[in-house]
Amino acid sequence: MSISLRNVRKDYDQQTKVLENVSAEVQTGEFFVIVGPSGCGKSTLLRMIAGLTPITDGEVRINDQVVNELPPKARKLTMVFQNYALYPFLSVWDNVAFGLKARKLSQSDVQQRVEHALKMVNLTDFSKRKPRELSGGQRQRVALARAVASDAEICLMDEPLSNLDAQLRIKMRQEIYQLQRKLGLTLIYVTHDQVEAMTMADHIMVLNDQHVQQIGTPSEIYQNPENEFVAQFFGTPQINILSAKRSAKNHHLLTIGSNDLQLALDEEVPRDQLRVGVRPDEMTVSSAASSVDANAVVKNTEFLGNETIVYATPK
Ligand code: ADP
């Protein structure tokens, strides 16, 4: 089940223009992550794919069929939300079975699917419990089980892990990834967390400022960011962005502060007002013989065990 977005636009009203010209191809069985800062329109885009929010302009296709006018039910997809959306008075089992019963499946079919889904997410022993008797991670697993049981080939997830603590997020990240691979789901996953995007995605779409900034594999996005926003959004600690210009002495030298840097610069790179991005892990630190020889001043250091972060400004 592939998904295609073509020049999708969304204005909630004249004042609230959220997305413009969003195009993307999501292949069958792919883990596709939509990432961007809070408020950039990620949920809106996901809801438009689901059919929960109307599209202002453009096309959404599922398996090459335009679905703009199709109601959510007819799109054959399932959704997992941040707040789990569980029924508090129903048991785990009944929460998973709920959607299936509404679809009028036979009792044995429902039984089989719920059993299978609970097994997939390791909740078989919890089937009689109510949501309030579960931990946050277990509740999210019930929501995942519901997606598994639905048998839909497309699953949309909106920040499913953001209510969980840091350690549990890492664990659930792996569980979702393994589940997606095992089931061969086409999964579109929304998050504001660049680490989640980098660790799970086959392809990442970076959204900001109403536009798609870049679509690529995690390594393409990290190594060849399309612009400064993308470069700064990925990587901890953040990429260094330094002002620079071409050296007056030699066109192939770049001057940053009082330092000249030998770089193979193309002729078309302008002379002045350059911005240079350097990932922290591409830099090495050595101590200078005297402060006169130093090319940077250390402001602060943070010892983290396996690495030490050095904050410095160029001289
Ligand atoms: P994200 O998921 O990236 O945090 P959203 O898609 O939730 O962003 O919201 C994008 C923008 O659209 C925000 O400015 C938000 O206030 C606005 N917005 C979201 N839903 C509605 C709505 N139903 N009506 C009007 N504006 C909305």
Side-chain angles (χ1 to χ4, degrees), residues 119-121 176-185:
K119 202 165 147 207
M120 291 293 281
V121 301
I176 290 177
Y177 180 81
Q178 282 163 10
L179 204 59
Q180 183 268 340
R181 285 296 192 254
K182 231 186 284 181
L183 301 173
L185 280 174

Side-chain angles (χ1 to χ4, degrees), residues 2-63:
S2 62
I3 297 162
S4 166
L5 308 174
R6 303 198 178 164
N7 297 317
V8 171
R9 197 174 97 225
K10 180 67 187 176
D11 307 339
Y12 279 107
D13 51 50
Q14 276 304 315
Q15 281 75 43
T16 328
K17 295 178 189 299
V18 181
L19 292 167
E20 209 179 310
N21 251 326
V22 175
S23 296
E25 301 290 330
V26 182
Q27 306 301 330
T28 304
E30 150 159 53
F31 202 128
F32 189 88
V33 175
I34 302 171
V35 72
S38 182
C40 73
K42 303 179 296 293
S43 296
T44 300
L45 184 56
L46 202 69
R47 293 174 63 82
M48 289 196 290
I49 297 169
L52 299 168
T53 298
I55 299 169
T56 309
D57 200 8
E59 249 176 36
V60 175
R61 290 170 177 250
I62 296 179
N63 265 357

Side-chain angles (χ1 to χ4, degrees), residues 221-261:
I221 297 234
Y222 188 76
Q223 275 150 10
N224 290 311
E226 197 82 12
N227 56 38
E228 213 173 302
F229 174 82
V230 177
Q232 288 195 298
F233 195 79
F234 293 89
T236 324
Q238 243 184 9
I239 194 168
N240 298 285
I241 304 277
L242 302 161
S243 298
K245 58 181 189 220
R246 281 188 183 222
S247 159
K249 285 175 265 164
N250 177 344
H251 277 179
H252 296 289
L253 286 184
L254 205 61
T255 307
I256 300 176
S258 60
N259 307 297
D260 281 341
L261 216 67

Side-chain angles (χ1 to χ4, degrees), residues 192-203:
H192 64 273
D193 182 342
Q194 50 107 3
V195 177
E196 268 180 31
M198 292 289 273
T199 50
M200 294 199 282
D202 292 313
H203 284 100

